[in-house]
Amino acid sequence: MNALKMVGEFYFSQLIGQSIYDKAGNRFGRVKDIAVRWEGVYPRVIGVKYANKIHNLIPIEWIVLRDNDRVELVENFTVDQTVPLHENDIYASKWLLDKQIIDIKGSKMVRVNDIILSWVVQDGKQHMVLVAVDIGVRGLFRRLGLEFLFTKFKQNWLILEFIKPLESWNSHLQLNRLKQQLTELHPADIAELIEEMDYKRRANFIENLDDQQAIDTLAELNLDTQVEIIEQMDAQRASDILEEMAPDEAADILGELPVEKSEGLLQLMESDDAEEVRELMQYEQGTAGALMTNEFIAFSSHITTEEAINQLRELSPTAETIYYLYVMDDEEHLQGVLSLRELIVAAPQTTLKELMHTKVAVVQDEDNYQKVAEVINKYSLLAVPVVDEQNVMVGIVTVDDILDILMPERGKLDTYSWFALTKTAGRGR
């Protein structure tokens, strides 16, 4: 197949509203819109809508553009030679013009002020394609006939490779391209885009992500947005996502839903995952128990460091953090703690009982957030263990979790940054 060659670019705003004349010179309509179909690299223009309330199209192969504000046909116009709008075709102005889109390259929401079209030649045939959108101020004033006042402003185009329209599109090819593009974005960037969207579009957007990306993105959103999205999603998909999320995050979301909706989603989840979430939901808001996760790594004091490392390889994917390893007895009472570094550098046959620190900073499951924050800050911890009245370890609260509560507008702060900050603060005291 020969390469695609572009032979002339122009703006949608220059085309819309132009009079249409057939070969005999008869004027029979105006350009109301253009229908496009996503085939290959760019959406291809299929035909021109020439009148209101008529959805049959003038085939694009008939069209000749003139510089004197008119569109001419290479044939005489007859209604029976027009073509119907296919189910995978969509009108360009409805799809893009004045719509918010995602600039995938810049990870931001932008508005389409105009559309750039081009005639292209491939295999000896001429086609019209959409190649870019204009998101700059010049595009807006071009449509008003005032672009001449803004010629000092740079053109601001986005080629279609780097955009994602928020309007629905039926083409499987376009959807596959979108998923491939979104994999290049960090979940935090996708979360920012979702926060800027109209609430009606958010759940639909999440539905287009694969499960892992949906989970990672939801984790970056604020709780109100998480609840809103889960509430609008298909129940089975929502339950699948919730059971793969950290139990404390799933519990927070379900705790904000109506009881009937929450219980329905729990019933759809795997029983073990649902049970972990239910355990966390029983705690009152504002307590360490409500904030903690019950995913942590604990070992018996009698095993060696070599045995612990082998077990760690199997357990680490399910744990929220492995900076600290906890040591418990058979009744799950907390006996000690050690760091991952201490485990790795120790001799292989050293037992954890020999290695662990027995003086462990803990919080009670009924302690409030302020108490948790004080302990984490005092001892410069990345996570603090939570115990009940019998000193049974029931979970951990990570520094990220407490910062999300006490500094909700802080943005995400990774645990290494927190550790560095608290160490610096400690040296200053």
Side-chain angles (χ1 to χ4, degrees):
M1 181 178 287
N2 295 329
L4 186 125
K5 179 182 179 182
M6 295 189 178
V7 295
E9 293 176 343
F10 57 97
Y11 294 104
F12 180 76
S13 60
Q14 296 169 334
L15 179 62
I16 199 78
Q18 284 194 21
S19 298
I20 307 174
Y21 296 83
D22 67 10
K23 187 176 181 180
N26 300 313
R27 179 184 175 279
F28 63 90
R30 291 183 179 275
V31 177
K32 299 294 184 180
D33 211 331
I34 57 175
V36 296
R37 183 181 303 163
W38 200 296
E39 291 182 340
V41 179
Y42 297 106
R44 182 164 65 90
V45 178
I46 301 302
V48 173
K49 179 178 172 64
Y50 65 93
N52 293 329
K53 299 182 181 179
I54 297 176
H55 293 289
N56 274 23
L57 310 169
I58 300 171
I60 196 64
E61 294 80 9
W62 292 9
I63 298 294
V64 177
L65 300 183
R66 300 299 184 191
D67 294 332
N68 55 348
D69 296 331
R70 60 190 280 159
V71 173
E72 295 181 2
L73 307 187
V74 296
E75 303 285 347
N76 288 327
F77 176 75
T78 57
V79 174
D80 60 353
Q81 289 182 296
T82 57
V83 295
L85 187 72
H86 191 271
E87 65 177 356
N88 280 339
D89 301 339
I90 195 166
Y91 291 123
S93 62
K94 179 180 179 182
W95 178 45
L96 284 176
L97 204 59
D98 295 323
K99 300 295 191 297
Q100 283 187 314
I101 62 169
I102 298 173
D103 171 5
I104 292 178
K105 190 175 183 180
S107 303
K108 59 185 178 181
M109 299 282 288
V110 292
R111 172 194 165 99
V112 175
N113 294 323
D114 207 346
I115 300 168
I116 295 88
L117 303 162
S118 179
W119 286 110
V120 299
V121 175
Q122 187 175 34
D123 297 332
K125 295 182 180 180
Q126 183 168 281
H127 307 282
M128 186 187 292
V129 297
L130 274 66
V131 294
V133 294
D134 190 334
I135 60 172
V137 67
R138 287 184 62 168
L140 180 60
F141 284 95
R142 182 184 309 116
R143 290 166 58 192
L144 299 174
L146 299 173
E147 186 182 12
F148 65 92
L149 297 175
F150 296 87
T151 53
K152 291 184 180 180
F153 287 80
K154 291 182 179 180
Q155 298 283 14
N156 195 355
W157 292 6
L158 276 179
I159 62 173
L160 288 216
E161 179 183 355
F162 297 118
I163 76 166
K164 193 287 179 188
L166 297 183
E167 294 297 326
S168 297
W169 180 274
N170 292 326
S171 168
H172 294 299
L173 174 60
Q174 194 268 353
L175 183 59
N176 290 337
R177 285 164 54 86
L178 162 64
K179 288 183 176 180
Q180 183 178 1
Q181 290 165 332
L182 289 177
T183 58
E184 300 172 8
L185 294 183
H186 190 280
D189 292 326
I190 301 175
E192 282 188 11
L193 295 172
I194 290 173
E195 294 283 9
E196 294 179 35
M197 291 178 193
D198 183 280
Y199 79 95
K200 294 179 181 178
R201 291 183 171 133
R202 290 170 174 170
N204 183 59
F205 186 84
I206 287 285
E207 292 274 14
N208 282 330
L209 304 179
D210 61 42
D211 283 351
Q212 190 56 55
Q213 198 167 34
I215 293 162
D216 294 340
T217 300
L218 275 173
E220 299 287 344
L221 293 166
N222 66 55
L223 180 58
D224 288 343
T225 305
Q226 291 175 330
V227 172
E228 172 192 290
I229 288 172
I230 290 295
E231 202 163 13
Q232 293 181 54
M233 288 181 70
D234 170 75
Q236 187 60 60
R237 179 84 196 282
S239 67
D240 290 343
I241 288 174
L242 286 168
E243 69 184 29
E244 293 298 327
M245 293 181 74
D248 55 323
E249 293 178 359
D252 289 342
I253 294 171
L254 290 169
E256 295 295 321
L257 291 173
V259 174
E260 185 177 346
K261 177 75 172 180
S262 175
E263 189 58 36
L265 291 172
L266 283 166
Q267 300 256 353
L268 290 172
M269 293 169 64
E270 293 289 338
S271 57
D272 290 346
D273 296 316
E275 184 58 34
E276 287 184 352
V277 173
R278 288 183 198 275
E279 288 175 5
L280 296 175
M281 291 176 69
Q282 71 183 346
Y283 289 100
E284 290 186 18
Q285 287 299 313
T287 64
L291 187 59
M292 71 183 182
T293 177
N294 45 18
E295 288 186 341
F296 58 90
I297 292 179
F299 298 111
S300 164
S301 63
H302 303 298
I303 67 172
T304 66
T305 58
E306 183 178 30
E307 291 171 326
I309 289 172
N310 289 334
Q311 291 183 30
L312 189 60
R313 292 191 180 101
E314 299 177 8
L315 296 172
S316 60
T318 63
E320 181 159 328
T321 174
I322 56 170
Y323 301 115
Y324 303 128
L325 310 172
Y326 301 97
V327 180
M328 300 193 302
D329 62 19
D330 294 340
E331 284 77 39
E332 299 186 348
H333 296 115
L334 180 62
Q335 293 183 307
V337 65
L338 64 151
S339 70
L340 182 61
R341 180 182 181 278
E342 289 170 327
L343 178 72
I344 293 172
V345 301
Q349 298 309 311
T350 305
T351 64
L352 299 193
K353 185 175 183 178
E354 299 173 77
L355 196 60
M356 69 183 185
H357 303 278
T358 55
K359 291 184 178 180
V360 186
V362 301
V363 294
Q364 297 289 319
D365 54 2
E366 299 298 333
D367 285 342
N368 61 30
Y369 294 161
Q370 189 62 41
K371 174 66 175 178
V372 177
E374 288 172 0
V375 172
I376 285 178
N377 183 58
K378 180 178 180 179
Y379 297 103
S380 299
L381 299 174
L382 301 178
V384 61
V386 182
V387 298
D388 65 13
E389 293 179 347
Q390 286 74 44
N391 199 41
V392 171
M393 186 169 174
V394 291
I396 60 171
V397 176
T398 67
V399 63
D400 280 346
D401 290 332
I402 197 66
L403 286 177
D404 283 339
I405 295 295
L406 301 180
M407 303 167 62
E409 302 302 323
R410 69 183 174 88
K412 295 291 178 181
L413 177 67
D414 63 79
T415 49
Y416 291 109
S417 300
W418 165 260
F419 190 71
L421 285 172
T422 52
K423 282 297 184 185
T424 302
R427 288 197 294 269
R429 286 198 293 269

